[in-house]
Amino acid sequence: MAIRTTARALLSLATLRETRRRLATRRGRGLVAGIAVAYAVVSMLVGSMLILEPIGGDYFWMVLWSGNGTHAWDYPGLLVVGSWGILSLPLFPTVAMIVVSIGVGIGGAAAVVLLLPWLRRLTVGSRRTATAGAAAGMGPAVTGLATLGACCCTTCAGAAGISVVAATSGTTLSALLVNDWYIGAFQMVVVAVSLLAQERAFRLTGPACPVPPPFDRRFAAGAALRLGLLIAGVTWSLAMLVEWGTTDPLTAGPGLWYHWILEHQLLALLAVGAALFPQELARAFRALGHSFTTYALRVALAVAGVTWAIGVPPTLVSAGLGGLVNEMLGYAGVGAAWGAVPPDSPLGWALVFHWLMQHLFLGAFALAVAVDPRRALAPLLWSTPAPRVGVGRDAPASRDPAWTPSIAATPGPTGPASGGTESS
């Protein structure tokens, strides 16, 4: 029953139930459509998919079916030429632009819908609730603007984090920009993560909202830890796609698949999940208890954490594996017989980020969760709202330093004590 409840809660979050509920009006749907269309037009202009310039000549359109073996993800594509300019719609960049535009429209519209009541009702309570919701709703819009036009243009280098993804996955920025589908995938993932964070924040607003934590050192430490996990997890997960550009997954050996599944995605998904949904993750570990699934997951996290944060013996390097120590030995010029692995890029800020954040930080966090999930997740909960003790909106909040919201809280009439909804 607990597992089923957790699954329903995660599905509710993934489908943005609370966000969709707040936008389920004619005004809300109109705002989503308007903001999405405006963002799409600006994105096409920035990415040179749409060129508004009088060129004269006859109007024509054509479907391009191939590109002589290059950029297969761009075909089939549509090319429209008229006296007003040129419109080019390659396949995957167009799909990525549409998905991102919808995400930005949802986030921006949610912010507007929540901000309008605040302008009408200037009471303290409504102002606080609406301001928090508006700030949450602006998240997807901000991340969309940060990567504006990136999915449409093979020469755009302004996408947030693209250079880090390139440097930490063994490729160059120019090679990454030539394979522009990575940028579209990056942009969609970033906006999707922002929408999930927005949905999570929306569930912490309203009459059943728990007491927010005080803005002290514990809050700052917990928030910084969650932000670091989010940045490291997203960039490291996307780096796998870049590696697939140089290594065919269909012909890869067991060592590389271990690297991609456990060292890449398991560590990255744990970090992103812990950053965005620490209460839900704590609740899931408690619900699973001492089951076989829990121990299997913890063993997988421990093995991946050791091989990635520390390293592997020389016999496993030939299989495509290598951890932090292996890469540092490779940078120091030690021979392959000692287990050295050449680093993915020259020494610089990108390589330092790769070693500290993606190797050491992600691996150490996975090891901590494997050893003791409750203690490892406790610092993340310092920046989450505390449950109320008792029943009702005005019930006092628990401020026990050892409190872990989703583990210790008990549900009340309005739902779980952590937020008043089944998945907050």
Side-chain angles (χ1 to χ4, degrees):
M1 182 64 67
I3 297 177
R4 185 179 302 175
T5 301
T6 301
R8 286 200 302 264
L10 292 177
L11 179 62
S12 173
L13 284 168
T15 55
L16 307 178
R17 186 192 63 185
E18 180 65 19
T19 304
R20 289 186 290 107
R21 184 188 69 81
R22 296 181 183 233
L23 298 176
T25 62
R26 179 177 299 179
R27 175 190 296 175
R29 290 189 289 267
L31 283 172
V32 171
I35 296 174
V37 170
Y39 178 88
V41 172
V42 174
S43 183
M44 287 191 293
L45 289 172
V46 173
S48 299
M49 293 177 68
L50 176 62
I51 301 176
L52 297 178
E53 182 178 348
I55 57 177
D58 297 331
Y59 165 84
F60 71 91
W61 66 272
M62 62 185 301
V63 177
L64 305 177
W65 295 100
S66 66
N68 297 323
T70 61
H71 286 214
W73 52 88
D74 287 343
Y75 300 96
L78 178 64
L79 177 65
V80 180
V81 179
S83 59
W84 43 266
I86 301 173
L87 173 66
S88 59
L89 298 175
L91 180 61
F92 182 76
T94 302
V95 172
M97 178 196 64
I98 293 173
V99 172
V100 171
S101 298
I102 293 174
V104 172
I106 292 173
V112 173
V113 167
L114 292 178
L115 190 60
L116 288 179
W118 175 77
L119 295 177
R120 297 191 185 102
R121 303 188 305 272
L122 295 181
T123 62
V124 175
S126 62
R127 179 188 305 148
R128 179 177 181 180
T129 298
T131 303
M138 288 305 295
V142 171
T143 54
L145 292 174
T147 56
L148 184 64
C151 60
C152 315
C153 180
T154 59
T155 59
C156 296
I162 288 296
S163 58
V164 173
V165 174
T168 59
S169 54
T171 187
T172 62
L173 180 60
S174 58
L176 180 59
L177 293 175
V178 169
N179 295 313
D180 59 333
W181 73 271
Y182 299 131
I183 301 178
F186 178 87
Q187 194 179 21
M188 287 190 292
V189 170
V190 169
V191 173
V193 169
S194 298
L195 285 172
L196 289 176
Q198 166 195 289
E199 173 73 7
R200 180 68 175 85
F202 279 171
R203 295 172 184 233
L204 298 180
T205 62
C209 180
V211 174
F215 289 88
D216 53 13
R217 294 180 180 179
R218 285 165 57 91
F219 177 89
L225 180 59
R226 293 172 63 184
L227 179 61
L229 287 171
L230 181 62
I231 294 173
V234 170
T235 55
W236 184 233
S237 178
L238 292 173
M240 185 188 73
L241 299 178
V242 182
E243 292 183 15
W244 284 2
T246 56
T247 303
D248 186 0
L250 299 179
T251 60
L256 286 177
W257 276 109
Y258 166 85
H259 171 62
W260 290 331
I261 295 175
L262 294 182
E263 293 182 342
H264 260 290
Q265 297 308 322
L266 181 61
L267 299 186
L269 291 177
L270 173 68
V272 173
L276 295 180
F277 314 113
Q279 295 179 356
E280 288 79 359
L281 189 61
R283 182 185 299 125
F285 271 105
R286 179 170 177 82
L288 292 173
H290 298 284
S291 65
F292 173 79
T293 303
T294 302
Y295 286 115
L297 177 59
R298 292 172 65 177
V299 169
L301 289 173
V303 173
V306 169
T307 58
W308 188 238
I310 301 175
V312 298
T315 55
L316 295 180
V317 170
S318 59
L321 300 179
L324 177 60
V325 174
N326 300 103
E327 288 193 17
M328 296 182 72
L329 290 175
Y331 179 80
V334 178
W338 293 89
V341 175
D344 293 329
S345 62
L347 184 62
W349 68 271
L351 183 59
V352 172
F353 176 89
H354 177 53
W355 282 351
L356 293 181
M357 297 294 291
Q358 295 175 334
H359 266 288
L360 188 60
F361 187 36
L362 292 182
F365 180 72
L367 279 173
V369 173
V371 173
D372 191 338
R374 184 180 183 277
R375 291 183 182 275
L377 297 175
L380 303 177
L381 302 174
W382 293 343
S383 59
T384 60
R388 297 182 184 276
V389 177
V391 179
R393 179 179 177 181
D394 298 326
S398 170
R399 284 301 171 203
D400 184 355
W403 172 71
T404 53
S406 297
I407 295 177
T410 57
T414 59
S418 58
T421 63
E422 68 176 21
S423 57
S424 61

